[in-house]
Amino acid sequence: MAEKDKTDKKEHLLDVAERVFGELGYDGASTRLLAQEAGVNMAMLNYYFGSKDGLLKAVVERRMASTKKTFEEIASQNTSCWSKIEQVVQLYVSRVATSKYFHKIIFREISVLRSGGSEVTDFVLENLYANTLQVQKIMEEGIQKGEFRPVDVGMTIASIFGTVNYLINSRRLSSKILEMDLLDDQVLQNEMKPRLLSYLQDSLKTHLLK
């Protein structure tokens, strides 16, 4: 098999696995079902990823590596700390709103305790924490430079990630609170996403800026 064909096949498997894991969770997604949904045999799935754990980790790693790299690039920019915060929030909201299955996976991994622990859960937590450290770095830099008020950085970070995760992962209740159908992907993209982004930017501007 040509290298491009191998890459395409792996990407297809990862796309399908992200959807299935997102819809059914880790326990509900058997390797047989994953292979069936992707239109491959189980031998091929095991060849590329080794196991269901390996497949889930690859799904997580594909998206988180990109976000982590971009957060680091934003934090290192030679610009105002407020501009950096705006970019971080915009990136995070955009990725969450366009990757609904992936963020269901993430939410489950950080919420559910499996007996004996999980390498995937540890991987998710390490990467999420690394991202929060970049946001912490930006906020502390802003406070040190006098651009931001001396706020509780930890609680501020928790409020950003918590607000986004709540709306995305509690869609039925959030639909009632916001009076919009967040189960509709078009509404999520075209109505909720700009509303959430505007809310976070306004809240953080009031909270952070002097």
Side-chain angles (χ1 to χ4, degrees), residues 1-208:
M1 187 183 291
E3 198 62 37
K4 183 180 184 303
D5 291 338
K6 286 183 179 180
T7 301
D8 290 346
K9 182 66 72 175
K10 283 186 73 172
E11 286 298 308
H12 172 66
L13 278 165
L14 289 170
D15 287 340
V16 171
E18 183 174 311
R19 174 179 60 79
V20 175
F21 280 129
E23 289 177 341
L24 303 178
Y26 176 87
D27 294 327
S30 66
T31 50
R32 186 177 300 279
L33 176 63
L34 287 161
Q36 180 182 322
E37 289 289 311
V40 302
N41 56 46
M42 290 177 64
M44 179 172 287
L45 189 151
N46 290 328
Y47 169 76
Y48 283 121
F49 303 106
S51 64
K52 185 165 76 166
D53 273 6
L55 177 56
L56 180 55
K57 185 176 179 182
V59 166
V60 170
E61 190 165 20
R62 178 175 66 156
R63 291 202 183 271
M64 295 199 81
S66 171
T67 301
K68 183 171 179 285
K69 181 173 182 293
T70 308
F71 269 38
E72 289 171 350
E73 289 171 350
I74 291 171
S76 64
Q77 287 176 359
N78 184 24
T79 186
S80 72
C81 294
W82 173 245
S83 174
K84 294 177 187 180
I85 290 294
E86 281 189 308
Q87 290 178 68
V88 163
V89 169
Q90 189 163 10
L91 173 71
Y92 187 61
V93 169
S94 178
R95 295 204 171 175
V96 169
T98 55
S99 313
K100 62 176 184 177
Y101 294 122
F102 178 70
H103 284 86
K104 283 183 180 178
I105 294 170
I106 296 302
F107 185 74
R108 285 196 188 102
E109 287 301 317
I110 62 177
S111 303
V112 178
L113 292 177
R114 299 198 192 106
S115 58
S118 164
E119 183 182 339
V120 178
T121 301
D122 290 344
F123 177 80
V124 168
L125 289 172
E126 286 170 12
N127 278 271
L128 286 175
Y129 184 58
N131 286 345
T132 67
L133 287 178
Q134 294 303 317
V135 183
Q136 178 181 327
K137 176 182 174 182
I138 295 169
M139 288 188 181
E140 288 177 347
E141 179 188 357
I143 292 169
Q144 184 180 9
K145 289 181 175 178
E147 187 179 338
F148 294 161
R149 296 170 53 245
V151 299
D152 184 327
V153 173
M155 289 299 292
T156 305
I157 293 170
S159 71
I160 297 170
F161 288 91
T163 299
V164 176
N165 287 331
Y166 181 84
L167 291 176
I168 295 298
N169 292 300
S170 308
R171 292 199 199 185
R172 291 185 185 279
L173 179 57
S174 297
S175 293
K176 292 180 178 296
I177 295 170
L178 299 181
E179 298 182 335
M180 57 173 62
D181 184 8
L182 298 184
L183 299 177
D184 184 325
D185 287 343
Q186 290 299 315
V187 173
L188 186 72
Q189 283 297 312
N190 300 329
E191 297 180 39
M192 193 281 279
K193 178 181 164 183
R195 184 175 172 183
L196 173 58
L197 186 58
S198 176
Y199 167 77
L200 286 173
Q201 289 177 333
D202 284 349
S203 297
L204 288 169
K205 187 177 291 185
T206 301
H207 181 59
L208 289 173

